[in-house]
Amino acid sequence: MLAEALEHLVRGIVRHPDDVTVRDKQLRRGSILEVRVHPDDMGKVIGRRGRTAEALRSVIGALAGKGGAKIDFVDVDRRRR
Amino acid sequence: MSDQTPVTDTDDVTETPDADNTDEAVDANDASDLDTDGTEPSGEASSTSSPEDLLETEGEIAADYLEELLDIADLDGDLDMDVEGDRASVSIVGGDLSLLVGRDGEVLEALQELTRLAVYRETGERSRLMLDIGGHRADKRARLEKLAADTVATVKDSGERQALTPMSPFERKVVHDAVAAAGLTSESEGEEPRRYVVVLPQS
């Protein structure tokens, strides 16, 4: 549900909604929602001084409840190291 | 079609300057300070439609965006759309929505921010849409109006100016409006984020 909600929130604000994917990565220490967007949309999802990223974290954090949720933003061209 | 480098700020290109307002206009603009990055909107600029039509369109886009979120999160809530003065307003009512309000309305502010961005994407116009959830903003407004009325009474009695505690731009706007309606004037002093309203006695 969290990944789906996050995908919806991000798709609604970017120029390339079809390039948005969210993966729920299960790690040993908990899960991370990995958001991939078109490189041109990176600035849009981060926002000035990270304000949009903060807003996304706040809403998803509220929906996640107690455990909270970690969100990682990646652009589709970049491989994670 | 290609965007500029992200994270540059284009400033208030679409903000219409209010000509004859002083502090209230500034405060109102503060409240709508919607950060955008340096990208062009992808939506059609609705420069041909009337301001009222644009505000109604804003409400519809916002309601679609929020409705689907409620759906996905399996939360109950009805959406009310309205136009209040020069702003679109959307409220989510019904059910237990405290989750989406958060402490001090923090989640509500975040959701409003995202909703404004979603509207901007579609219309190409920076939106000043107000979102309310579970009557949170309405309650806050009522408390501030009460505070303003009480302060006006005190100032009329004493004939001395009275400063209030620091408030957000939205809160100050509510107080300024209420003071003006009660026949006194007020101004904002101090610097953000500790800017506050001062209610002035009749001169």
Side-chain angles (χ1 to χ4, degrees):
Chain A
M1 181 279 270
L2 289 180
E4 201 188 337
L6 182 55
E7 190 169 287
H8 166 66
L9 290 174
V10 174
R11 281 206 168 138
I13 63 172
V14 296
R15 297 193 61 190
H16 305 281
D18 293 344
D19 290 352
V20 176
T21 55
V22 177
R23 252 197 329 150
D24 194 345
K25 294 212 300 190
Q26 300 296 330
L27 304 177
R28 215 167 302 162
R29 278 165 296 159
S31 67
I32 290 189
L33 295 166
E34 189 186 76
V35 184
R36 284 170 182 263
V37 298
H38 191 283
D40 291 350
D41 282 328
M42 235 5 220
K44 196 140 246 165
V45 294
I46 303 297
R48 190 169 61 164
R49 290 191 297 268
R51 199 163 138 173
T52 308
E54 268 318 298
L56 289 165
R57 289 197 170 99
S58 169
V59 174
I60 295 302
L63 295 177
K66 263 210 182 100
K70 282 200 165 137
I71 304 179
D72 205 3
F73 297 94
V74 189
D75 74 48
V76 284
D77 281 357
R78 205 189 317 148
R79 301 242 57 160
R80 304 228 63 219
R81 267 159 274 194
Chain B
M1 185 61 198
S2 75
D3 290 339
Q4 302 160 31
T5 325
V7 201
T8 51
D9 185 58
T10 50
D11 258 331
D12 298 25
V13 276
T14 62
E15 200 80 63
T16 337
D18 291 298
D20 58 358
N21 284 319
T22 53
D23 189 53
E24 289 172 40
V26 173
D27 281 352
N29 285 340
D30 283 353
S32 70
D33 180 20
L34 174 61
D35 289 342
T36 56
D37 56 49
T39 58
E40 299 291 319
S42 66
E44 301 284 307
S46 340
S47 49
T48 49
S49 53
S50 74
E52 294 78 28
D53 287 349
L54 176 62
L55 292 179
E56 279 180 23
T57 307
E58 283 192 13
E60 282 161 21
I61 297 164
D64 286 348
Y65 186 66
L66 294 164
E67 190 126 50
E68 190 165 341
L69 179 68
L70 293 179
D71 230 40
I72 293 168
D74 201 19
L75 292 169
D76 287 328
D78 291 319
L79 286 128
D80 283 348
M81 285 178 278
D82 204 355
V83 172
E84 284 173 24
D86 57 354
R87 294 181 192 221
S89 77
V90 173
S91 358
I92 311 178
V93 293
D96 180 17
L97 298 163
S98 53
L99 194 72
L100 288 180
V101 174
R103 202 189 308 144
D104 294 331
E106 181 191 287
V107 181
L108 167 61
E109 295 297 336
L111 203 49
Q112 173 175 284
E113 174 98 7
L114 295 172
T115 305
R116 286 177 171 183
L117 290 174
V119 170
Y120 174 74
R121 204 269 306 268
E122 295 300 315
T123 64
E125 302 277 348
R126 284 158 59 100
S127 170
R128 300 167 63 208
L129 178 136
M130 295 297 286
L131 174 65
D132 198 1
I133 298 176
H136 177 82
R137 244 184 247 287
D139 290 350
K140 190 184 228 178
R141 182 187 291 270
R143 281 199 302 276
L144 289 168
E145 282 170 350
K146 168 97 168 55
L147 172 69
D150 292 349
T151 310
V152 164
T154 312
V155 170
K156 276 182 173 167
D157 257 12
S158 69
E160 280 174 32
R161 70 206 304 272
Q162 192 174 335
L164 301 177
T165 52
M167 290 177 188
S168 73
F170 165 77
E171 294 167 325
R172 296 199 305 270
K173 169 93 168 86
V174 172
V175 173
H176 284 311
D177 287 351
V179 169
L184 286 188
T185 52
S186 53
E187 55 191 31
S188 292
E189 292 179 6
E191 297 297 319
E192 296 282 10
R194 301 199 50 80
R195 210 160 151 75
Y196 55 89
V197 174
V198 182
V199 179
L200 304 171
Q202 208 119 39
S203 48

